[in-house]
Amino acid sequence: MGLRGVLLALALLLSVCVRASHGLTDSQDTSVLRALMDQWQNSPPTWGQSDDPCGVSPWDGVTCSNDRVISIKVSTMGIKGLLAADIGQLTELQSL
């Protein structure tokens, strides 16, 4: 495999690790979740604690796939408020 192959494999592994450790949630999805949070009282405590709803510490009730929000399940969290029209911008949302 030689030194060149080892270095290439190491670089690939490093890029995967960096991708996994940084916020990569679709920026529009993040903006929509923040808009929802602004409309609600008693929003889940983890919402807004990180910049990445799908990241290492995902926001409560949010499920993601391929860095896109696919599900929001907050019905038992005592949330009060309006459902912002922005919800329509979560183009991968399958369950609410």
Side-chain angles (χ1 to χ4, degrees), residues 7-62:
L7 290 175
L8 182 59
L10 184 60
L12 179 61
L13 179 62
L14 182 61
S15 70
V16 169
C17 290
V18 168
R19 177 177 164 87
S21 67
H22 290 302
L24 296 173
T25 303
D26 180 82
S27 61
Q28 179 173 303
D29 288 6
T30 301
S31 295
V32 170
L33 292 178
R34 289 191 181 282
L36 291 173
M37 184 174 64
D38 291 343
Q39 294 288 320
W40 293 343
Q41 297 173 7
N42 304 328
S43 58
T46 58
W47 284 42
Q49 287 186 349
S50 74
D51 292 332
D52 188 9
C54 301
V56 176
S57 298
W59 294 7
D60 288 340
V62 176

Side-chain angles (χ1 to χ4, degrees), residues 15 28 35 39-40 55 62-63 66 80 91-92 95:
S15 70
Q28 179 173 303
Q39 294 288 320
W40 293 343
V62 176
T63 304
N66 298 320
K80 296 178 183 178
T91 58
E92 298 296 318
S95 175

Side-chain angles (χ1 to χ4, degrees), residues 48-86:
Q49 287 186 349
S50 74
D51 292 332
D52 188 9
C54 301
V56 176
S57 298
W59 294 7
D60 288 340
V62 176
T63 304
C64 301
S65 176
N66 298 320
D67 304 320
R68 299 298 309 271
V69 175
I70 61 167
S71 175
I72 302 173
K73 295 182 180 177
V74 292
S75 62
T76 61
M77 296 185 185
I79 293 172
K80 296 178 183 178
L82 302 173
L83 187 59
D86 294 338

